Amino acid sequence: MRPTIEEYFMEMAKLVASRSTCLRRKVGAVAVKNNHVLCTGYNGAPTGLKHCDETECLREQLDIPPGERHEICRGVHAEQNLICQAAYHGVCLFGSVIYCTHQPCSICAKMILNAGIKNVFYLEGYPDNMVNDILKKRLFKLIF
């Protein structure tokens, strides 16, 4: 049976997530416009730095709960990597849609808004209560 367009792009996001080196949560994101892929991103250490699967997870060592103290992490979130990759390659994300394996955090939500991304579809929630305050449930849709 042929997948819907949403299923198709979400499957791509899952594949992108398989590249993640995060020990806690593997996240993938795909930016799409007019049913064409613009850019992808997954969570992991910045270019040139050791990944958490090589160094251990600082957040685990410090017992930091998910959704809190985002700054205490070696990794860059999938959505942040997607936006950085688009900028690096000169790809405009304005008016695009993002398919994510997980609901973006509040920091990523602010970046998504400022990048002009019109909608985000995600599979799993994320324990960051500030997201709903930032977006007023305007952009985010749980699917499947």
Side-chain angles (χ1 to χ4, degrees), residues 90-111:
V91 175
C92 179
L93 295 174
F94 184 82
S96 66
V97 173
I98 294 183
Y99 292 85
C100 294
T101 55
H102 294 76
Q103 179 184 17
C105 72
S106 55
I107 295 168
C108 290
K110 291 182 272 188
M111 292 178 70

Side-chain angles (χ1 to χ4, degrees), residues 51-65:
H51 293 273
C52 295
D53 60 2
E54 300 172 83
T55 64
E56 295 187 41
C57 177
L58 179 60
R59 294 173 62 81
E60 287 292 327
Q61 292 172 355
L62 298 175
D63 198 31
I64 298 170

Side-chain angles (χ1 to χ4, degrees), residues 10 12-18 20 26-30 41-43 78-79 82 98-102:
M10 193 57 78
M12 285 186 189
K14 290 182 200 176
L15 180 61
V16 171
S18 71
S20 171
K26 297 191 179 300
V27 181
V30 177
Y42 55 87
N43 57 329
E79 304 88 342
L82 181 145
I98 294 183
Y99 292 85
C100 294
T101 55
H102 294 76

